[in-house]
Amino acid sequence: MARIGFIGLGNMGGPMAVNLVKAGHDVIAFDLVEAALERVRAAGAKTAGTVWEAVRDVEFVVSMLPAGRHVEGVYLALENNACLLDEIAAETVIIDCSTIAADTARKVAAAARERSRRMLDAPVSGGVGGAEAGTLTFMVGGDAAVVDAARPVLEAMGKNVFHAGESGAGQVAKMCNNMLLAVLMTGTAEAIQLGVANGLDPSVLSDIMQQSSGGNWALNVYNPYPGVMDGVPASRGYSGGFLVDLMIKDLTLAMDGAAASGQTTPMGALARSLYVLHKNRGTAEQDDAGTLDFSSIQKLFSG
Ligand code: NAD
């Protein structure tokens, strides 16, 4: 079993670190928030007083941070002329699971390579439920040999590990997937509302489309219309799940990626605009819809 430093114990990182403990690994965890440390301590992880302490004498470092600036800050910020990458041993495998721009992932991985450190970008799909259940999908960018070395650690937190390509490729796969997810969700919500406005029962319409050519993951597994499906955010006031704010973040990364590569992504751009409009318009219950699940885009169509 491995000794693993874990940085960032939020909604995703907390349960991921706990799953590593459950798999028998020796986890030393760090977060800026004491309550987050307390939760993993209760599950059997050790906790560190500083991020430097969390990466000393470990075989793997896993980070799960909010955004690119946090990842750059943690790994590259200088303290006494050294950054965290300097502190990490050359044999250690560094796995950043945060969702960030591919360019930022490449920049940090290049800084790691300059120091002969081994680093992967490994963003995830599956949300908080997948993090808790240990069923995440990892989309990994980096050297194949390093991916193989990381596989046992990733498999303790997820059920699928895909090697997408070189550094940054995991982030590219993640931005493409989430852009498509946003397009599918907005299209599904729009279609169901069209049927309802024309007298159809949303459950009957969903059954029909699921078995027809309109079937897709948002419709079949994560139906956005309240009451159609049990156990999804739409049936509990859009609480829990994947936040509108995070979807906007991911769509913004996709738009930046499109601009950087000279691609037009009209569907993704429209989906981003609709999510920003939804966030800003809010709902009858709250001014800002950013903290609702992303399937709440249904409310933009249903009012
Ligand atoms: P979160 O805000 O709940 O957790 C982030 C944690 O990082 C917090 O506990 C924060 O205190 C900690 N942190 C910030 N700066 C730090 C630092 N310098 N040192 C140590 N800890 C620091 O976010 P989350 O929902 O866990 O998401 C983490 C990442 O996973 C994001 O990039 C997000 O886009 C991605 N993601 C989230 C979901 C989801 O459903 N929540 C799904 C897939 C991917």
Side-chain angles (χ1 to χ4, degrees):
M1 285 300 126
R3 196 170 145 77
I4 303 170
F6 204 113
I7 309 166
L9 307 163
N11 293 322
M12 296 293 291
M16 288 165 71
V18 168
N19 280 332
L20 291 174
V21 173
K22 283 186 188 155
H25 295 293
D26 190 4
V27 175
I28 174 149
F30 177 73
D31 195 288
L32 300 174
V33 176
E34 178 52 35
L37 289 169
E38 186 47 50
R39 273 193 295 275
V40 298
R41 218 181 276 133
K46 295 189 188 70
T47 54
T50 66
V51 71
W52 303 82
E53 205 185 305
V55 303
R56 252 173 233 144
D57 304 321
V58 296
E59 294 150 80
F60 297 89
V61 171
V62 181
S63 50
M64 192 51 161
L65 296 160
R69 65 179 186 282
H70 305 94
V71 174
E72 284 197 63
V74 161
Y75 287 108
L76 302 184
L78 293 177
E79 210 175 293
N80 300 324
N81 288 325
C83 70
L84 198 71
L85 289 175
D86 295 310
E87 184 77 8
I88 297 171
E91 313 75 51
T92 302
V93 174
I94 308 165
I95 310 168
D96 179 47
C97 298
S98 324
T99 301
I100 64 175
D103 279 350
T104 309
R106 289 187 195 108
K107 177 181 169 184
V108 181
R113 233 181 344 266
E114 278 164 23
R115 294 165 171 81
S116 304
R117 305 298 191 268
R118 308 191 290 167
M119 181 158 194
L120 302 172
D121 50 291
V124 305
S125 175
V128 176
E132 286 169 349
T135 56
L136 293 170
T137 292
F138 288 92
M139 310 169 200
V140 190
D143 292 348
V146 185
V147 178
D148 284 343
R151 215 170 265 280
V153 169
L154 297 175
E155 284 171 351
M157 301 183 285
K159 68 172 168 36
N160 297 305
V161 178
F162 291 106
H163 183 202
E166 289 307 314
S167 292
Q171 300 294 351
V172 173
K174 169 78 183 173
M175 88 179 168
C176 295
N177 180 72
N178 278 26
M179 186 181 81
L180 178 58
L181 174 62
V183 169
L184 291 173
M185 186 56 84
T186 49
T188 297
E190 177 183 320
I192 297 177
Q193 195 56 42
L194 177 65
V196 169
N198 283 278
L200 258 65
D201 180 311
S203 297
V204 172
L205 176 58
S206 293
D207 283 347
I208 294 169
M209 293 196 295
Q210 279 173 17
Q211 301 305 324
S212 306
S213 43
N216 70 81
W217 188 88
L219 176 77
N220 300 13
V221 181
Y222 209 100
N223 199 293
Y225 205 92
V228 170
M229 204 173 265
D230 289 335
V232 294
S235 294
R236 48 173 193 264
Y238 299 108
S239 64
F242 183 57
L243 304 190
V244 166
D245 278 339
L246 284 177
M247 182 52 96
I248 293 172
K249 172 196 161 189
D250 289 359
L251 286 166
T252 305
L253 289 173
M255 295 307 100
D256 291 346
S261 56
Q263 289 301 298
T264 61
T265 47
M267 306 296 285
L270 180 56
R272 183 181 176 281
S273 291
L274 291 171
Y275 270 104
V276 173
L277 181 64
H278 172 45
K279 172 182 167 63
N280 293 343
R281 271 183 42 175
T283 65
E285 295 78 33
Q286 58 191 80
D287 292 343
D288 181 340
T291 56
L292 295 177
D293 176 72
F294 81 113
S295 63
S296 65
I297 195 75
Q298 186 71 56
K299 282 186 171 273
L300 192 66
F301 299 103
S302 62

